[in-house]
């Protein structure tokens, strides 16, 4: 499959009364994506932090929120796996803190295929808040997922602002880049937006940006959320002149739908007006070693 619809969430962080409310909310969102024809639904970075509200005793504490959300991940992932299989679409779940055996926490995104397979991508480069205040560590390795939709890479929020990560994935065959984000101010939103669109330009690919939105004053981690979902492509033949295939309404809770055609990506890489992906090595230092990429089969 080279042509399909993607749905990028502008996902609202909300206080949840109980697990049933979360289950109903997530189910409703994924069902809406499926009803819109999406073969891939993309949720944002740290969207899972709303689950901290299920434990009122710790939801206002940074360390407590890490522990309570991480403990729920097996249950969260089982729900996502069921929805992906039942509705027949790929789902990038909202990233969440995940406790490692050594006691560290990483920021982990999980990609669910309808066939039951799951791929995991940890955020590699941490923001100042994550490393200095929250105690979330960089993880890895950098991966690329071979799916029925094509080869999909994930750059979680801040990672999208560092071009060598996406470039390594491009060298490994990436056709579609997913950029889940969580930004508290428009400065952060624009950093990720510019990063995602730049990666689409350099790699001659489509980048899907999904942010959290809304206010959650009860949470010290995700209290303010600004952004707009978007699908970016290379500004070349067959794509809009500014590379913006589709963009949502700033800060609104919504799905953004758009069609992507990976055959057009391949066509531009072979014979575009420019050949950014092919000419990377011609810049000074462009032939330097790139980060290793692990290929994961989700077919």
């Amino acid at each position: 499959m080279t042509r399909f619809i993607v749905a990028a969430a502008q996902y609202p962080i909300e206080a949840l009364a109980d697990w049933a409310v979360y289950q109903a909310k997530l189910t409703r969102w994924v069902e809406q994506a499926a009803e819109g024809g999406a073969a891939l639904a993309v949720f944002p970075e740290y969207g899972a932090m709303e689950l901290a509200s299920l434990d009122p005793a710790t939801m206002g504490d940074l360390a407590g929120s890490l522990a309570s959300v991480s403990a729920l991940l097996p249950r969260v992932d089982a729900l996502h796996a069921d929805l992906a299989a039942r509705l027949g679409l790929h789902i990038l779940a909202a990233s969440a803190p995940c406790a490692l055996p050594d006691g560290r926490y990483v920021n982990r995104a999980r990609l669910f295929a309808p066939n039951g397979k799951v791929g995991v991508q940890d955020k590699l480069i941490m923001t100042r808040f994550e490393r200095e205040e929250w105690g979330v560590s960089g993880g890895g390795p950098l991966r690329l997922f071979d799916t029925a939709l094509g080869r999909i890479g994930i750059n979680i929020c801040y990672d999208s602002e560092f071009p060598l990560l996406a470039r390594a994935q491009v060298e490994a065959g990436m056709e579609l880049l997913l950029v889940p984000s969580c930004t508290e101010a428009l400065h952060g939103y624009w950093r990720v937006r510019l990063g995602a669109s730049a990666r689409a330009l350099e790699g001659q690919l489509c980048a899907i940006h999904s942010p959290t939105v809304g206010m959650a004053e009860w949470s010290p981690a995700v209290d303010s959320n600004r952004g707009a979902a978007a699908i970016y492509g290379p500004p070349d033949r067959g794509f809009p002149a500014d590379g913006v295939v589709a963009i949502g309404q700033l800060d609104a809770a919504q799905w953004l739908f758009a069609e992507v055609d990976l055959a057009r990506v391949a066509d531009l890489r072979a014979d575009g007006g420019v050949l950014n992906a092919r000419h990377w090595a011609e810049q000074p230092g462009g032939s330097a070693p790139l980060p290793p990429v692990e290929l994961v089969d989700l077919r």
Side-chain angles (χ1 to χ4, degrees):
M1 180 184 297
T2 65
R3 180 182 295 178
F4 52 89
I5 294 173
V6 298
Q10 293 182 195
Y11 186 76
I13 300 292
E14 298 172 327
L16 306 167
D18 52 34
W19 172 264
V21 171
Y22 170 72
Q23 183 176 19
K25 177 183 179 180
L26 183 70
T27 300
R28 181 176 69 255
W29 273 77
V30 178
E31 286 177 344
Q32 289 172 349
E35 289 166 3
L40 170 64
V42 181
F43 286 96
E45 178 189 35
Y46 286 134
M49 289 310 299
E50 65 181 355
L51 290 160
S53 64
L54 298 182
D55 186 358
T58 62
M59 70 182 190
D61 175 70
L62 283 172
S65 65
L66 285 174
S68 65
V69 175
S70 179
L72 287 169
L73 277 184
R75 197 174 183 185
V76 170
D77 287 355
L79 176 57
H80 281 82
D82 176 71
L83 290 169
R86 179 165 62 85
L87 297 171
L89 76 169
H90 292 71
I91 305 171
L92 181 69
S95 81
C98 180
L100 300 181
D102 63 7
R104 293 182 302 120
Y105 287 92
V106 295
N107 179 1
R108 178 161 291 177
R110 293 92 59 220
L111 179 61
F112 295 86
N115 61 10
K117 293 185 178 182
V118 184
V120 169
Q121 179 63 67
D122 295 339
K123 189 174 183 177
L124 279 76
I125 304 173
M126 313 315 290
T127 62
R128 293 192 64 184
F129 172 74
E130 287 171 306
R131 65 178 75 198
E132 296 175 14
E133 298 181 49
W134 208 6
V136 181
S137 303
L142 184 63
R143 292 188 168 106
L144 186 65
F145 304 101
D146 195 7
T147 77
L149 303 178
R151 288 195 170 180
I152 298 175
I154 303 166
N155 286 180
I156 301 176
C157 200
Y158 197 39
D159 283 350
S160 70
E161 300 173 34
F162 296 89
L164 295 186
L165 300 180
R167 181 62 203 180
Q169 293 166 310
V170 168
E171 292 284 354
M174 178 168 64
E175 300 168 281
L176 186 67
L177 174 63
L178 310 184
V179 184
S181 74
C182 178
T183 50
E184 66 177 357
L186 289 179
H187 294 86
Y189 158 67
W190 274 98
R191 286 193 294 267
V192 178
R193 173 175 173 170
L194 291 170
S197 58
R199 305 297 78 83
L201 166 66
E202 296 159 353
Q204 292 181 285
L205 50 75
C206 292
I208 315 302
H209 180 194
S210 166
T212 52
V213 297
M215 300 298 295
E217 290 89 350
W218 52 268
S219 171
V222 290
D223 55 331
S224 175
N225 302 271
R226 305 293 308 274
I231 290 85
Y232 301 109
D236 203 344
R237 184 182 66 248
F239 286 88
D242 61 1
V244 181
V245 176
I247 193 162
Q249 179 183 345
L250 184 68
D251 297 337
Q254 65 174 89
W255 278 116
L256 177 70
F257 293 91
E259 184 181 78
V260 298
D261 186 351
L262 302 187
R264 286 198 291 164
V265 169
D267 177 60
L268 288 180
R269 286 177 172 179
D271 189 30
V274 289
L275 298 170
N276 304 76
R278 185 187 305 178
H279 295 157
W280 175 273
E282 295 182 20
Q283 64 184 311
S287 59
L290 292 165
V293 175
E294 179 181 293
L295 185 62
V296 178
D297 183 13
L298 298 188
R299 288 182 174 272

